[in-house]
């Protein structure tokens, strides 16, 4: 099996357990994103993969080979750091050439390769400058250049875009995608920004508190979250959550929301009286199209140019509704919102997703 | 606010006057003295003698000897202090727990009077009753060395004592320098395939240059100033072979009362210090333009 | 492309590496370097303590034993309270203390004021700070002759006043160097708020700025005091009879008749105590002081 694998990887720093048993396989050639809030262990996992930290337990495999004892260079790993980590006392040219120098390549080869990399990344005019004379975006390119100068099996990116301005970030995101397409190597990327993850990833690994919450393609994670955490972490604005209890878990069951409204539900693996959370994404709430209707008390609307949102309460719970344009203007719901049955996401009392279809096209019932 | 400048100058002037009094005035007097010859007979006034004192110094074998001794001690000590200091700093850099306590203990030698350092090592290096010879005999079976009264041992004793006093100080400066290297840069060098030694040679040491310069400057100034420590360690012996320039300056001025030559010697000393200061400023500036 | 979670616990989990000896060795190597240095640094101090408490016979054995045995308080008693021709060292410690404290105080008053003036109000442009700092490297030994002549002319030889005067003036550059960074780091707005509240320059400085500068003043005080306590040349040449500091007194214990090792050690023990206390403080602020002083 080629690609990357983690088997039962644990990492503790003294009393703190940063990674609590990670099992993961990443196919080669994919662009994988480790996504999660700060402290979730994503950076630690990457550093363990790189060989910069030693795991306390478990194995790391690259291309089918256990690499626990190998140094980063031996693993064939390249890394772009959050702060770029350019060598401040060397010129750009020397920075780019350093990995080649450490590999004891002949001078002529180093020079040729450096020129080539500089050309591809369009930083030829910067070759004789020092890092302190470069802008953020330029440093970024040099960091990438230094990483690709050597043929590496694996490329790692540790939140490389977090120090850039917004427009530069978008531009660099495209650069990275182009890079991946050209090199076709396995790339692992760490970020806390779900927009970046959704944009770049072939595969997202969402982590929290040292464990993996879910692994999958971006669309799949977005549409089919495994639990409340994944569902609310992805998607901006956040998924709306309505609390309720199971009235009947049977075939013609119902969920009674806190507000008193009822939602028809199919068979649920829950007993009557157990708590249930109903999740609805803002874009799935509509003024007029859907199977179910829910009461809506509007509070405020925002028109943000391309998008518009209405804020208020849906069935008593705070919610956001994404607005659609009709005839050039945003239309906000009044009194009620509609939602399609298959857009509802149900979560049990422990936050785990209940994958049962919601049936029926019943209107509001009290 | 109104009157700010006047307030500020009121605050600063006493210090400035004091500094001028305690430095500039003596310096000017000394410059005048350097170009005059004094007779031991206080009734005969000093006469202007141009650079005679300078030529007299250059012809004085004891002066030349003192310069030679000073230079030997300076070069050897400096090399030892910088290299040992860096080794210590590098080790301290990798210690987390207990670092503060260890540094406090290591700095004790730096905090005691040079005179006492001289006295202690004088006792330690004593031929019959000193711990150094006891250790050498006990551990290595080496016959007692006559440290303070024979060459090159007396020089070595001085070097040991000054290294003892200064290495921790150098280590602290260099440790400060090490902590300015971003950890990610060190990670990057690992990822780029640098071994421990190469990381040291190509990344760490070049980035430490300004700190080595600062440490060197402090050490050189201190080494040129050596007086009490060697005075009480070897008293210049055997004979005059460990008389450093500070000691000879004192001798000229207060033992021989040759004010003219002593002043000329002081003048040279101050000029050398100034030159060294300027060189280091230049060296530091050339690097900071790049950093 | 979709990924899949590997089936858990299919493969037996292997320990990545033994957490035993090999791992420990990796963390231990710095201590292998530090330990000899610690030994080297502290052995002479140990020797001072040992010799101070040793009986004459043990001091003067050949080869000398490295371990304590036959301890006595005789040396301590001699130097603390004096016997025969030797004066009690306490007396000279007191002299050093008085001179050190007074000179530090005067130096602080002058130096802190100067640092505040230059750091806060930027007088003298870029020339003045450098000018003051350059005095740091003026070696006392080069100027000792004119000093002696000046002191003689002014009748300051062998007086408390004379030493205090020269020590305080000499300490100004160091105090200035240390405080300048602290002054520049403390917010100007504090003073300005005080001005707005109606305070004069003096009151603003005294009530607002100086309290904020206390840490810096404390460090400067400690460094200055130690420097004066340890000083020999000026105390020797410009005083030494009526006014004798402990540092000047110590060599007198080396007479032509007998090498008073024990007494020297006992006296040195007292003389190095401030230094040892100082080393603890020094560690914390040395790096900070250097950082503020800049790599000038």
């Amino acid at each position: 099996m080629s690609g990357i694998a983690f088997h039962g990887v644990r990492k503790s720093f003294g009393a703190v357990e940063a990674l609590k048993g990670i099992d993961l396989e990443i196919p080669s050639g994919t662009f994988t994103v480790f996504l999660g809030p700060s402290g979730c262990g994503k950076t630690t996992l990457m550093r363990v993969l790189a060989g910069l930290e030693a795991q306390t337990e478990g194995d790391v495999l690259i291309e089918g080979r256990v690499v626990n004892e190998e140094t980063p260079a031996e693993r064939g790993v390249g890394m772009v750091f959050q702060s770029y980590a350019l060598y401040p006392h060397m010129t750009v040219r020397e920075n780019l050439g350093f990995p080649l120098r450490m590999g004891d390549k002949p001078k002529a080869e180093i020079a040729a390769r450096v020129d080539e990399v500089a050309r591809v990344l369009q930083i030829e005019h910067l070759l004789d400058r020092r890092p302190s004379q470069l802008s953020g975006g330029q440093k970024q390119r040099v960091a990438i250049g230094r990483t690709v100068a050597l043929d590496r099996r694996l490329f790692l990116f540790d939140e490389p875009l977090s120090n850039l301005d917004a427009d530069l970030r978008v531009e660099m995101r495209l650069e990275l995608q182009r890079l991946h397409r050209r090199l076709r190597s396995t790339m692992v990327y760490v970020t806390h920004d779900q927009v970046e993850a959704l944009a770049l990833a072939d595969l997202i690994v969402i982590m929290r508190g040292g464990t993996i919450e879910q692994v999958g393609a971006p669309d799949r994670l977005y549409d089919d979250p495994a639990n409340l955490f994944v569902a609310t972490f992805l998607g901006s604005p956040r998924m709306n959550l309505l609390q309720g209890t199971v009235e009947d878990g049977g075939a013609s069951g119902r969920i009674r929301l806190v507000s008193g409204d009822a939602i028809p539900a199919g068979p649920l693996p829950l007993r009557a009286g157990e708590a249930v959370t109903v999740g609805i994404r803002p874009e799935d709430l509509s003024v007029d199209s859907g199977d179910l209707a829910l009461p809506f008390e509007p509070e405020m609307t925002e028109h943000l140019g391309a998008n518009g949102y209405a804020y208020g309460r849906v069935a008593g719970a705070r919610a956001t509704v994404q607005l659609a344009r009709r005839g050039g203007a945003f239309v906000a719901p009044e009194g009620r919102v509609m939602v399609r049955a298959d857009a509802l996401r149900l979560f049990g009392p422990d936050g785990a997703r209940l994958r049962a279809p919601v049936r029926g096209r019943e209107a509001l019932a009290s | 606010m109104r009157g700010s400048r006047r307030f500020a100058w009121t605050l600063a002037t006493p210090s400035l006057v004091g500094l001028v009094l305690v430095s500039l005035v003596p310096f000017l007097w000394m410059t005048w003295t350097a170009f005059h010859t004094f007779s031991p007979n206080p009734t005969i006034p000093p006469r202007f003698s141009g650079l005679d004192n300078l030529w007299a110094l250059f012809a004085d074998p004891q002066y030349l000897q003192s310069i030679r001794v000073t230079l030997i001690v300076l070069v050897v000590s400096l090399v030892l202090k910088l290299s040992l200091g860096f080794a210590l700093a590098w080790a301290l850099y990798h210690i987390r727990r207990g670092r503060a306590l260890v540094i406090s203990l290591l700095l004790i030698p730096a905090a005691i009077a040079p005179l006492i350092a001289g006295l202690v090592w004088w006792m330690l290096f004593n031929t019959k009753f000193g711990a150094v010879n006891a250790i050498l005999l006990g551990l290595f079976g080496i016959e007692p060395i006559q440290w303070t009264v024979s060459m090159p041992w007396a020089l070595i004793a001085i070097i040991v004592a000054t290294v003892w006093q200064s290495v921790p100080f150098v280590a602290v400066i260099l440790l400060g320098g090490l902590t300015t290297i971003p950890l990610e840069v060190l990670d990057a060098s690992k990822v780029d395939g640098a071994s421990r030694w190469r990381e040291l040679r190509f990344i760490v040491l070049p980035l430490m240059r300004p700190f080595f310069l600062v440490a060197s400057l402090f050490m050189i100034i201190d080494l040129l100033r050596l007086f009490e420590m060697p005075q009480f360690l070897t008293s210049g012996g055997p004979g005059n072979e460990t008389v450093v320039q500070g000691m000879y300056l004192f001798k000229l001025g207060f033992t021989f009362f040759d004010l003219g030559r002593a002043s000329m010697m002081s003048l040279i000393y101050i000029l050398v210090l100034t030159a060294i200061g300027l060189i280091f400023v230049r060296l530091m500036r050339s690097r900071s333009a790049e950093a | 492309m979709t990924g899949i979670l590997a089936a858990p616990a299919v493969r037996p989990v292997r320990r990545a590496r033994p957490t035993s000896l090999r791992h420990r060795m990796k963390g231990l190597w710095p201590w292998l370097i530090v330990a000899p240095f610690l030994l080297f640094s502290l052995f002479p101090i140990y020797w001072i303590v040992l010799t101070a408490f040793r009986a004459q016979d043990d001091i003067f054995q050949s080869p000398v034993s490295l371990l304590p045995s036959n301890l006595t308080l005789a040396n301590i008693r001699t130097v603390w309270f004096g016997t025969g021709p030797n004066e009690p060292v306490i007396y000279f410690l007191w002299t050093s203390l008085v001179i050190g404290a007074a000179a530090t105080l005067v130096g602080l008053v002058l130096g802190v004021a100067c640092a505040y003036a230059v750091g806060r109000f930027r007088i003298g442009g870029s020339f003045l700070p450098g000018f003051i700092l350059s005095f740091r490297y003026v070696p006392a030994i080069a100027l000792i002759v004119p000093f002696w002549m000046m002191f003689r002319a002014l009748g300051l030889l062998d007086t408390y006043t004379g030493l205090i005067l020269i020590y305080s003036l000499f300490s100004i550059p160091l105090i200035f160097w240390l405080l300048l960074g602290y002054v520049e780091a403390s917010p100007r707005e504090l003073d300005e708020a005080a001005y707005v509240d109606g305070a004069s320059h003096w009151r603003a400085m005294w009530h607002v700025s100086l309290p904020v500068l206390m840490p810096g003043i404390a460090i400067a005080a400690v460094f200055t005091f130690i420097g004066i306590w340890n000083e020999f040349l000026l105390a020797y040449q410009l005083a030494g009879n009526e006014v004798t500091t402990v540092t000047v007194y110590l060599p007198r214990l080396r007479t032509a008749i007998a090498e008073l090792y024990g007494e020297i050690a006992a006296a040195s023990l007292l003389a190095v105590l401030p230094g040892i206390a100082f080393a603890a403080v020094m560690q914390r602020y040395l790096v900070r002081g250097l950082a503020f002083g800049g790599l000038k």
Side-chain angles (χ1 to χ4, degrees), chain B residues 49-60 63 261 264 268:
Chain B
S49 56
L51 289 173
D52 284 356
N53 287 323
L54 187 62
W55 309 136
L57 277 179
F58 286 162
D60 181 357
Y63 173 73
R261 272 199 285 159
M264 182 58 79
I268 297 176

Side-chain angles (χ1 to χ4, degrees), chain B residues 30-255:
Chain B
M30 195 186 70
T31 316
W32 180 85
T33 321
F35 295 105
H36 288 70
T37 315
F38 290 74
S39 131
N41 186 338
T43 56
I44 304 177
R47 67 171 177 86
F48 180 76
S49 56
L51 289 173
D52 284 356
N53 287 323
L54 187 62
W55 309 136
L57 277 179
F58 286 162
D60 181 357
Q62 285 192 51
Y63 173 73
L64 296 172
Q65 165 83 331
S66 76
I67 298 294
R68 190 167 46 233
V69 170
T70 307
L71 279 177
I72 295 176
V73 170
L74 177 74
V75 169
V76 175
S77 302
L78 187 62
V79 167
L80 281 175
K81 289 180 189 189
L82 289 179
S83 47
L84 292 175
F86 182 71
L88 185 55
W90 185 242
L92 288 171
Y93 183 61
H94 289 93
I95 291 179
R96 204 141 298 156
R97 243 182 274 164
R99 191 200 272 185
L101 177 64
V102 166
I103 295 182
S104 299
L105 291 174
L106 286 171
L107 281 177
I108 291 178
I112 74 176
L115 177 134
I116 298 185
L119 285 178
V120 168
W121 283 102
W122 168 73
M123 289 198 287
L124 287 170
F125 276 121
N126 184 277
T127 313
K128 276 195 286 190
F129 311 120
V132 174
N133 276 340
I135 294 175
L136 287 179
L137 184 65
L139 275 181
F140 305 110
I142 299 179
E143 286 301 306
I145 299 174
Q146 302 211 310
W147 287 101
T148 57
V149 291
S150 66
M151 293 291 276
W153 309 112
L155 263 186
I156 294 178
I158 293 180
I159 291 173
V160 166
T162 180
V163 164
W164 176 77
Q165 273 216 291
S166 307
V167 161
F169 184 77
V170 172
V172 169
I173 295 179
L174 294 181
L175 179 63
L178 285 174
T179 55
T180 63
I181 303 178
L183 288 172
E184 286 198 339
V185 168
L186 295 175
D187 281 342
S189 76
K190 284 195 194 73
V191 168
D192 283 341
S195 65
R196 263 251 159 89
W197 296 113
R198 286 178 137 179
E199 183 185 76
L200 251 188
R201 187 175 146 207
F202 292 112
I203 311 289
V204 175
L205 287 177
L207 287 175
M208 292 286 293
R209 206 182 107 135
F211 297 92
F212 275 106
L213 284 177
V214 168
S216 300
L217 182 62
F218 283 153
M219 292 299 106
I220 292 178
I221 291 175
D222 268 349
L223 284 165
L224 288 178
R225 261 210 296 232
L226 278 181
F227 171 64
E228 304 106 278
M229 195 269 285
Q231 176 69 40
F232 291 99
L233 221 193
T234 60
S235 304
N240 279 330
E241 300 199 52
T242 59
V243 173
V244 295
Q245 71 124 16
M247 289 162 66
Y248 191 58
L249 177 52
F250 191 83
K251 247 198 219 179
L252 272 184
F254 292 102
T255 314

Side-chain angles (χ1 to χ4, degrees), chain B residues 4 15 111 126 164 254 266 284, chain C residues 40 110 142 201 230 237 261 295:
Chain B
S4 285
S15 297
N126 184 277
W164 176 77
F254 292 102
S266 296
M284 306 258 293
Chain C
F40 182 53
L110 293 172
H201 286 110
N230 286 342
Q237 197 58 32
Y261 277 31
L295 307 176

Side-chain angles (χ1 to χ4, degrees), chain A residues 47 83 87 89 101-102 104, chain B residues 184 187 189 192 198 202:
Chain A
R47 288 175 65 89
S83 67
Y87 305 120
H89 59 297
R101 233 173 120 197
M102 291 300 106
D104 296 312
Chain B
E184 286 198 339
D187 281 342
S189 76
D192 283 341
R198 286 178 137 179
F202 292 112

Side-chain angles (χ1 to χ4, degrees), chain A residues 30-334:
Chain A
T30 53
F31 194 110
T32 304
V33 174
F34 292 169
L35 175 66
S38 19
C40 68
K42 56 192 191 297
T43 304
T44 310
L45 190 59
M46 170 177 280
R47 288 175 65 89
V48 164
L49 175 58
L52 291 170
E53 305 269 3
Q55 66 273 35
T56 328
E57 220 181 279
D59 296 325
V60 176
L61 290 89
I62 298 181
E63 285 175 12
R65 223 182 57 246
V66 173
V67 295
N68 298 333
E69 307 288 319
E70 291 181 21
T71 66
E74 287 164 350
R75 298 184 192 199
V77 162
M79 188 156 170
V80 176
F81 294 85
Q82 191 174 4
S83 67
Y84 320 124
L86 299 180
Y87 305 120
H89 59 297
M90 296 186 190
T91 61
V92 167
R93 191 189 299 272
E94 289 164 341
N95 262 282
L96 292 174
F98 191 73
L100 296 157
R101 233 173 120 197
M102 291 300 106
D104 296 312
K105 304 270 183 237
K107 279 211 179 115
E109 188 183 324
I110 298 179
R113 184 88 181 111
V114 166
D115 286 331
E116 190 192 324
V117 170
R119 199 173 29 89
V120 167
L121 286 164
Q122 298 170 319
I123 47 177
E124 285 155 301
H125 57 296
L126 302 172
L127 280 174
D128 290 308
R129 293 212 202 152
R130 286 189 195 254
S132 57
Q133 299 165 304
L134 301 175
S135 72
Q138 290 170 332
K139 284 192 224 185
Q140 182 63 281
R141 282 173 196 272
V142 175
I144 294 177
R146 189 178 65 188
T147 313
V148 303
L150 265 184
D151 277 324
R152 317 235 198 199
R153 279 189 218 122
L154 179 56
F155 290 89
L156 306 180
F157 299 88
D158 185 7
E159 306 210 44
L161 305 185
S162 55
N163 290 338
L164 299 176
D165 315 324
D167 4 305
L168 213 56
R169 222 179 282 180
V170 176
E171 193 190 310
M172 291 308 298
R173 239 167 44 199
L174 294 174
E175 277 283 346
L176 287 172
Q177 284 179 329
R178 266 180 237 134
L179 192 69
H180 182 231
R181 212 170 305 148
R182 190 171 54 241
L183 292 177
R184 310 207 146 279
S185 335
T186 316
M187 293 189 178
V188 176
Y189 187 100
V190 160
T191 181
H192 61 275
D193 183 341
Q194 43 115 9
V195 173
E196 257 171 47
L198 292 172
L200 290 168
D202 293 326
L203 185 70
I204 296 183
V205 177
I206 293 197
M207 295 177 66
R208 178 171 63 153
T211 52
I212 294 179
E213 296 283 338
Q214 193 175 359
V215 179
D219 291 341
R220 165 111 183 282
L221 258 56
Y222 190 81
D223 288 333
D224 195 14
N227 56 40
L228 260 182
F229 173 74
V230 176
T232 52
F233 194 83
L234 291 177
S236 180
R238 231 183 54 140
M239 179 186 271
N240 299 309
L241 300 175
L242 311 173
Q243 306 297 334
T245 47
V246 177
E247 220 169 49
D248 182 347
S252 57
R254 247 201 286 281
I255 294 174
R256 179 72 53 179
L257 295 176
V258 167
S259 63
D261 307 288
I263 291 181
L268 295 172
L270 294 176
R271 287 194 306 277
E274 289 199 82
V276 150
T277 308
V278 179
I280 315 176
R281 293 218 182 262
E283 65 267 22
D284 290 326
L285 291 170
S286 158
V287 172
D288 50 16
S289 72
D291 310 312
L292 295 164
L294 293 167
F296 178 64
E297 297 157 35
E299 248 176 60
M300 203 163 26
T301 53
E302 274 180 357
H303 293 180
L304 302 175
N307 292 317
Y309 300 100
Y311 303 96
R313 288 183 180 274
V314 170
R318 289 193 163 259
T320 310
V321 180
Q322 185 161 319
L323 305 177
R325 283 185 193 266
R326 293 286 156 73
F330 285 118
V331 181
E334 288 170 36

